[in-house]
C-alpha cells in the first residue's frame, strides 16, 4: 500500500521530535549503559590447564555480558605484546594479561598506564621494579606449590632418591618459582638429589620427549619424576610405560595442576601425588575488574587456595572435580 506524501511528512516530523526529546532528557547517557570492554592476552594453549583457564574466563565474560576480546598468544611474547597494544587502541576498560615469561613487559605496560587502562595480571606474575604498571595479580602461589611437592616427596620416600625434573616454559613464573621452591625445600632432605632437569615446555609431547631422553641417558639411576605440570607428567607416564616400567611404582611421579585426568591417574596408581593449581578463577578476575572500575581498592595479590592430592584423598575428591 502506498503512503500519502502528507502522512510521510507527518511521520518524519514526529520521529525528529521524539529523537530531540530523548536526547534532551537529563542523565540519558548514564542510563544506556555500554557493556564492559575487556581484553585478555592469554599465553596460548600449551596444556589442558590453559584450556580450562581460557574457558573459565570466556564463560564468565559471557555470563556477565562483557564485550570480551580474547587473544591466544600461541606461546609467543611478541604476540601477547601486540594483543595488549591492540586492546589499548580499541579503548578497552580493563586489560587482563597472563604473561608467558616474567620479563620484558615494562614498555607495553607503560603504554597501558598512559592510556589509563588498568591491567590485571592473571595466573602469572612479572618481574618489574615498577609495581604501578599493574593493579593486581590473581592466581596461585607457585612457590608454595613446589614446596608442597618437595615436602610430600620427603615424607613419601623417607628422604631418599634421585630425581629428574621436567620444567615448564623457560623464563615463566611457574617454572621459575616451582623450581626454586622445590630446590629450597629439598635442602631439608639431603638424601633427595635432582640429577637432571630439562624443559618440556608445559606440553605433554615435551614431557614425553624429555622423559625418553632421561631414561636413555640415566637408565634406572633415578626413581622419582618431578613435573611442573600435569600435561608433562602424562607424557612421562607414556614414556615410562613404553620403556617397560611401571609409573607410580618403579618410578614415583609428583606433579602440579590436578586436573581430573591426573587425579584419575592418582586413583589408578600411575601418578603418586599432584598439587593443585586451580585454573577456574574467571569469576574472581571479573569481580576484581568490577571493583577496580568502581574505584575500590583491591589487594596487590589475590591468591587461590590449592590443595594436595595423593592416594589418601584422590578417590574421594575425583567425583567432585570440576576441571
Ligand atoms: O601458569 C600455570 C601453568 O601454566 C600450569 O601449571 C600449566 O599447566 C600451564 O601451562
Amino acid at each position: 500500500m502506498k503512503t500519502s506524501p502528507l502522512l510521510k511528512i507527518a511521520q518524519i516530523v514526529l520521529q525528529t521530535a521524539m529523537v530531540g526529546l530523548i536526547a534532551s532528557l537529563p542523565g540519558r547517557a548514564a542510563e544506556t549503559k555500554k557493556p564492559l570492554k575487556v581484553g585478555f592476552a592469554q599465553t596460548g594453549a600449551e596444556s589442558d590447564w590453559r584450556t580450562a583457564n581460557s574457558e573459565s574466563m570466556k564463560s564468565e565474560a559471557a555470563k556477565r555480558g562483557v564485550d570480551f576480546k580474547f587473544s591466544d598468544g600461541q606461546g609467543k611474547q611478541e604476540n601477547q605484546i601486540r594483543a595488549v597494544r591492540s586492546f589499548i587502541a580499541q579503548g578497552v576498560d580493563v586489560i587482563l594479561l597472563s604473561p608467558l615469561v616474567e620479563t620484558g613487559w615494562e614498555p607495553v605496560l607503560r603504554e597501558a598506564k598512559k592510556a589509563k587502562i588498568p591491567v590485571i595480571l592473571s595466573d602469572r606474575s612479572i618481574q618489574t621494579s615498577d609495581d604501578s604498571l599493574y593493579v593486581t595479580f590473581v592466581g596461585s602461589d607457585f612457590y608454595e606449590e613446589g614446596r608442597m611437592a618437595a615436602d610430600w616427596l620427603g615424607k613419601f620416600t623417607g628422604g631418599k632418591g634421585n630425581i629428574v625434573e621436567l620444567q615448564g616454559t623457560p623464563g615463566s613464573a611457574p617454572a621459575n618459582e616451582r623450581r626454586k621452591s622445590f630446590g629450597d625445600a629439598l635442602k631439608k632432605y639431603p638424601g633427595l638429589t635432582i640429577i637432571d632437569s630439562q624443559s618440556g615446555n608445559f606440553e605433554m609431547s615435551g614431557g614425553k620427549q624429555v622423559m625418553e631422553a632421561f631414561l636413555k641417558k640415566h637408565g634406572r639411576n633415578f626413581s622419582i619424576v618431578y613435573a611442573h605440570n600435569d600435561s608433562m607428567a602424562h607424557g612421562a607416564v607414556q614414556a615410562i610405560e613404553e620403556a617397560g616400567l611401571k609409573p607410580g611404582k618403579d618410578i614415583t611421579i609428583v606433579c602440579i595442576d590436578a586436573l581430573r585426568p591426573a587425579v584419575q591417574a592418582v586413583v589408578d596408581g600411575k601418578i603418586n601425588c599432584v598439587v593443585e593449581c586451580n585454573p577456574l578463577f574467571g569469576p574472581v578476575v571479573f569481580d576484581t575488574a568490577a571493583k577496580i572500575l568502581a574505584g575500590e581498592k583491591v589487594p596487590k595479590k589475590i591468591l587461590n587456595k590449592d590443595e594436595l592430592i595423593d592416594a589418601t584423598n584422590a578417590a574421594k575428591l575425583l567425583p567432585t572435580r570440576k576441571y
Side-chain angles (χ1 to χ4, degrees), residues 46-47 49-50 123-124 142 174 178 202 228-229 257:
E46 72 281 4
S47 61
W49 187 99
R50 190 63 52 195
D123 167 44
R124 295 185 179 180
F142 299 138
R178 288 170 185 169
F202 282 130
H228 286 190
N229 80 343
D257 274 356

Side-chain angles (χ1 to χ4, degrees), residues 289-301:
K291 282 184 190 159
I292 294 168
L293 292 172
E296 273 181 52
K297 203 165 159 41
V298 296
K300 201 71 193 175
K301 240 187 205 178

